[in-house]
Amino acid sequence: MEKHSFQLSLDWKGPRTGVGQLETKTLKTQVSVPSELKGPGIGTNPEEMLLAAAATCYTATLAAMLGFNKIEQVALTVKSEAIVAVAQSGALTYEKIIHRPHIVLAAGTIERTLSLVERIAKKAETACMISKALAGNVELELDIKITLAE
């Protein structure tokens, strides 16, 4: 089995309301607790980064699966949303991720292809590595939109 290692460095200054400098091989950004959670809201935050990981993985998996099935999309856009609950105690729970893929297919695509694309969009969610890692801890939801190009 082939294995890969991904690494990052995070230099944090201050308490919970501090700011960190995160660096990976290809990404450099500031991170902090978001303002919605009473943080400074500087740079990105863990909530957005988890959402970004889930959305990127889902989108790449969906695109790959469409390609494997020789379905060419004219456009593929995914908008994603995370729901984070804050208990009165202040404890946070990452409750749900909702992906809203919009797949645009070539004009004249036949009806059975539309059905196949919907099944592929659903399967991509369970095939994605990040979704598998979140399974049982974070609810995953899809709101699929498939249209034909004009």
Side-chain angles (χ1 to χ4, degrees), residues 4-141:
H4 301 275
S5 173
F6 298 92
Q7 301 171 13
L8 68 76
S9 172
L10 180 57
D11 182 25
W12 190 268
K13 305 286 186 210
R16 178 186 176 277
T17 56
V19 177
Q21 183 64 39
L22 181 140
E23 187 172 335
T24 70
K25 181 177 167 183
T26 59
L27 173 69
K28 293 179 184 176
T29 188
Q30 289 184 304
V31 293
S32 71
V33 174
S35 56
E36 297 88 343
L37 301 176
K38 298 184 173 104
I42 296 171
T44 190
N45 56 68
E47 295 76 15
E48 287 176 339
M49 292 181 74
L50 182 57
L51 179 61
T56 303
C57 184
Y58 172 70
T59 304
T61 302
L62 175 56
M65 291 176 76
L66 289 169
F68 292 149
N69 285 277
K70 299 189 181 350
I71 297 170
E72 213 174 307
Q73 74 270 10
V74 174
L76 172 59
T77 304
V78 177
K79 295 185 178 187
S80 298
E81 176 183 3
I83 307 298
V84 175
V86 182
Q88 282 191 325
S89 67
L92 302 174
T93 302
Y94 210 101
E95 286 189 347
K96 181 193 293 192
I97 292 176
I98 307 160
H99 295 305
R100 295 181 178 91
H102 181 192
I103 306 160
V104 181
L105 303 172
T109 300
I110 57 176
E111 186 67 33
R112 73 172 182 254
T113 301
L114 298 176
S115 176
L116 174 60
V117 169
E118 184 169 357
R119 286 194 312 273
I120 290 170
K122 290 177 182 175
K123 178 70 177 163
E125 182 59 58
T126 59
C128 162
M129 174 182 68
I130 302 296
S131 296
K132 288 178 185 180
L134 297 173
N137 293 308
V138 177
E139 181 184 347
L140 301 169
E141 185 178 308

